[in-house]
Amino acid sequence: MQRSIRYAILVATMLAASGGAGRAQGQTISPYVIQKISLPGSALNYGEGINNSGVAVGGVDAGGALSTIFLSAAIFANGQVSGPGILVGYTGSYDYAINDMGQSVGWAIKLLGLYPGPTQVHAVLFVHDSAQDLGVLVRTGNSTAYAINHWGVAVGSADTVDSSHATQFTFATHSVKDLGILPGDRSSVAYGINAYGLIVGSSIDTNGIERAVSFAPGPVAQLGALPGDFYSEARGVNDQGQAVGYSSSLRGPNHAVMFSGGTVTDLGVYPGGKQSFAAAINNFGQAVGSGDIDGGFYHALLFQNGQVLDLGILPGGQGSSASGINDQGDIVGTADDGQGVWAVKWTLAHHSIGPVRTLAAQ
């Protein structure tokens, strides 16, 4: 569940950043068109993943409770928003990633007592309007799934006896596998998996230092960091084995990076900005994430061919973040418009036919 909380914090930061700082000046006009793909009537929506058919997933606050326990997993397709199902006895859910077979993964949450009391969270596979429990490593533990490949193998994290470890969930065989940690570390998490079973994420030591790693095939291995940096994290990986995430020093800024062939490449920041993060990469090497614009609000960014492009924001808004990209270049993420927080989709302008269609009642 940590990823959704991270994005909620990011959106809050976008709204509050720089006090009275205005919109960045002198921005290059983006070739992308942004549109809301959110649930009408809900002022809190998140976009997370997108497949090659343009179907996106995320989460919505359908009841206006502004609480994780009452979020609902959402599928955004053809201008409509639907729920992919929920586990019996669970009150909330969230969807992180979707493959080309229409299988998506995330979590479901339920109260173990009175609200706001302790909760239980289980990794979930959403398919054919149903929710299937992907399981846990220990009977009373929690689990979350963050990514799924074309073969229906999911990865995320699950509680162990005294920590949490990166985990592989294979629903077809009803298996849950502990992917391990770096020697001497205390915990780990897997964020990405490609079609060939390469799994990436991070391993965290006893001092809380996070290092980007690969989990499979083979033993847990470090992916590295930029020279002089202490922290790194791998968030997404494509079928060419290129992974993206971030690297940072002890007190310095974060930079979006690519991990490939034993090399860590700085993807850069937006001109005038100081920080950037990469969240996903497609099979053509296009990466997306977010970063500050001239030291002010965070905007969704596209990293390609050594360039950093500002994907822009909604009218009236101040910030945005991108979390998924497909092989057609469609991008999904989250943005505000001064009235709420919305799941959004960026599409290349020359792919759009006529005016962008928005959902009714928005």
Side-chain angles (χ1 to χ4, degrees):
M1 222 165 49
Q2 66 191 85
R3 195 174 174 197
S4 63
I5 294 172
R6 184 177 67 86
Y7 277 112
I9 294 172
L10 174 58
V11 170
T13 302
M14 293 190 294
L15 292 171
S18 303
R23 214 172 287 174
Q25 300 298 312
Q27 299 173 29
T28 302
I29 297 176
S30 171
Y32 281 82
V33 174
I34 184 174
Q35 65 182 115
K36 293 180 183 178
I37 55 171
S38 301
L39 180 68
S42 171
L44 185 60
N45 303 259
Y46 300 99
E48 293 282 1
I50 188 168
N51 67 13
N52 285 322
S53 297
V55 179
V57 295
V60 301
D61 179 13
L66 301 178
S67 170
T68 300
I69 192 74
F70 299 116
L71 283 176
S72 296
I75 296 176
F76 309 102
N78 301 317
Q80 303 296 318
V81 183
S82 61
I86 190 167
L87 291 180
V88 175
Y90 286 70
T91 59
S93 58
Y94 200 82
D95 217 345
Y96 282 117
I98 184 169
N99 65 15
D100 289 342
M101 303 298 291
Q103 300 167 315
S104 58
V105 292
W107 50 256
I109 187 171
K110 70 177 177 180
L111 281 166
L112 297 179
L114 296 176
Y115 180 79
T119 60
Q120 181 181 74
V121 179
H122 277 201
V124 173
L125 171 71
F126 302 104
V127 60
H128 302 310
D129 299 321
S130 68
Q132 309 291 332
D133 194 331
L134 288 174
V136 292
L137 288 174
V138 294
R139 187 175 61 85
T140 58
N142 297 314
S143 62
T144 300
Y146 292 115
I148 185 170
N149 69 8
H150 302 311
W151 305 106
V153 179
V155 296
S157 66
D159 290 345
T160 60
V161 173
D162 57 1
S163 185
S164 63
H165 284 188
T167 306
Q168 177 179 305
F169 307 93
T170 308
F171 183 75
T173 58
H174 300 283
S175 64
V176 183
K177 179 182 178 181
D178 188 337
L179 295 172
I181 56 178
L182 286 172
D185 279 4
R186 64 172 184 175
S187 63
S188 61
V189 57
Y191 288 119
I193 180 172
N194 71 9
Y196 302 101
L198 174 60
I199 300 170
V200 300
S202 59
S203 185
I204 301 99
D205 70 13
T206 55
N207 295 313
I209 295 177
E210 190 172 21
R211 292 165 290 182
V213 297
S214 62
F215 294 99
V220 184
Q222 291 194 51
L223 294 175
L226 292 174
D229 281 358
F230 291 88
Y231 299 88
S232 61
E233 179 182 274
R235 278 276 165 178
V237 61
N238 65 14
D239 290 344
Q240 281 65 55
Q242 299 169 313
V244 293
Y246 78 89
S247 176
S248 71
S249 62
L250 192 60
R251 294 183 177 84
N254 301 294
H255 273 210
V257 295
M258 178 185 291
F259 309 94
S260 180
T263 300
V264 183
T265 302
D266 191 340
L267 294 178
V269 297
Y270 189 75
K274 297 179 180 179
Q275 299 201 67
S276 61
F277 308 82
I281 184 170
N282 67 12
N283 286 319
F284 294 97
Q286 296 174 299
V288 294
S290 60
D292 65 316
I293 304 297
D294 295 336
F297 296 99
Y298 274 61
H299 284 198
L301 300 176
L302 171 67
F303 307 91
Q304 65 175 6
N305 302 323
Q307 303 296 313
V308 182
L309 173 70
D310 178 7
L311 290 170
I313 55 179
L314 289 171
Q318 296 174 317
S320 59
S321 65
S323 52
I325 181 171
N326 66 16
D327 290 342
Q328 281 68 52
D330 302 322
I331 299 164
V332 68
T334 304
D336 82 283
D337 67 352
Q339 304 297 318
V341 176
W342 310 99
V344 294
K345 183 178 180 180
W346 289 268
T347 306
L348 283 167
H350 65 271
H351 287 176
S352 298
I353 301 175
V356 174
R357 180 166 63 93
T358 58
L359 295 177
Q362 289 194 83

